[in-house]
Amino acid sequence: MENTTLMQAYEEKIKRVLITEEEISAAIARAGKEIDAIYDGRPILLVGILKGSFVFMADVCRAVTVPCEVGFMCAKSYYEGTVSSGVVKITMDLQQDISNYHVVILEDIVDTGRTLSDIVKMLRLRNPLSLRVIALLDKPSRRLVDFRADTSLFTIPDHFVIGYGLDCAEQYRNLPYIAEYAEKEK
Ligand code: 5GP
């Protein structure tokens, strides 16, 4: 295929922008203030769930002023495309012993809730000083397990979304906004 055709096919999958860059940065600023107020000078460990949270992490860590460290875990629940496998696998764990940390988990999206429900259970067993979850996006209509983040920046309907860290088959993570992905008609 010609490069222009490839580019056109790529762009056609970006159906419409759901959340703009400006809306994201305003929400991140609010989240930073909320974290500062809650921890009030106490050091925190921000834990990003990869890969989807890497952009979110980069922005949140610069929006807080409390002393902060960052750590990452890799959890996989969607393998290819837009269908959930329903299997949560921890493929990379934290390096830190979290028992001396106030932990703030950053996740890109809560969909069925399985990933975060499992991760929170696992991290609580390691006795952190405290544990909170901040989700960039929440899709409550898709929930299969009883899980709620402490803070969700945006609630969205049941669309498959891309951008700002979120992928479809590993592409589109670099879009600066969040968009609906144009799935094939069923
Ligand atoms: P859960 O375990 O809550 O079903 O799924 C969480 C993970 O599924 C997210 O971290 C994300 O990787 C993936 N996911 C769920 N919904 C979407 C979506 O609309 N777009 C993308 N790109 N990933 C999603």
Side-chain angles (χ1 to χ4, degrees), residues 17-146:
V17 176
L18 283 183
I19 307 170
T20 64
E21 273 185 84
E22 292 73 23
E23 288 168 326
I24 296 171
S25 62
I28 300 270
R30 287 194 295 275
K33 287 205 174 80
E34 183 184 81
I35 293 172
D36 282 348
I38 291 170
Y39 296 97
D40 192 24
R42 286 174 294 172
I44 58 170
L45 173 65
L46 292 174
V47 173
I49 311 302
L50 293 173
K51 297 180 190 172
S53 72
F54 78 104
V55 182
F56 188 37
M57 168 67 96
D59 282 345
V60 171
C61 75
R62 289 176 295 169
V64 300
T65 61
V66 290
C68 127
E69 291 180 37
V70 300
F72 292 95
M73 293 176 78
C74 198
K76 253 188 159 217
S77 63
Y78 274 64
Y79 293 111
E80 281 274 298
T82 61
V83 181
S84 171
S85 69
V87 179
V88 177
K89 277 205 326 198
I90 306 297
T91 53
M92 188 187 88
D93 206 344
L94 283 170
Q95 307 291 306
Q96 293 90 340
D97 165 4
I98 60 171
S99 61
N100 287 320
Y101 287 96
H102 292 284
V103 171
V104 181
I105 299 178
L106 299 180
E107 171 68 312
D108 54 356
I109 183 165
V110 187
D111 186 36
T112 65
R114 284 185 182 123
T115 308
L116 274 182
S117 167
D118 283 5
I119 288 176
V120 165
K121 275 187 208 141
M122 196 173 116
L123 294 189
R124 281 205 193 288
L125 291 174
R126 301 182 192 175
N127 296 315
L129 297 175
S130 67
L131 184 67
R132 286 183 73 76
V133 176
I134 303 181
L136 171 67
L137 303 172
D138 187 13
K139 252 199 247 179
S141 60
R142 296 250 315 158
R143 205 68 96 249
L144 292 178
V145 299
D146 184 20

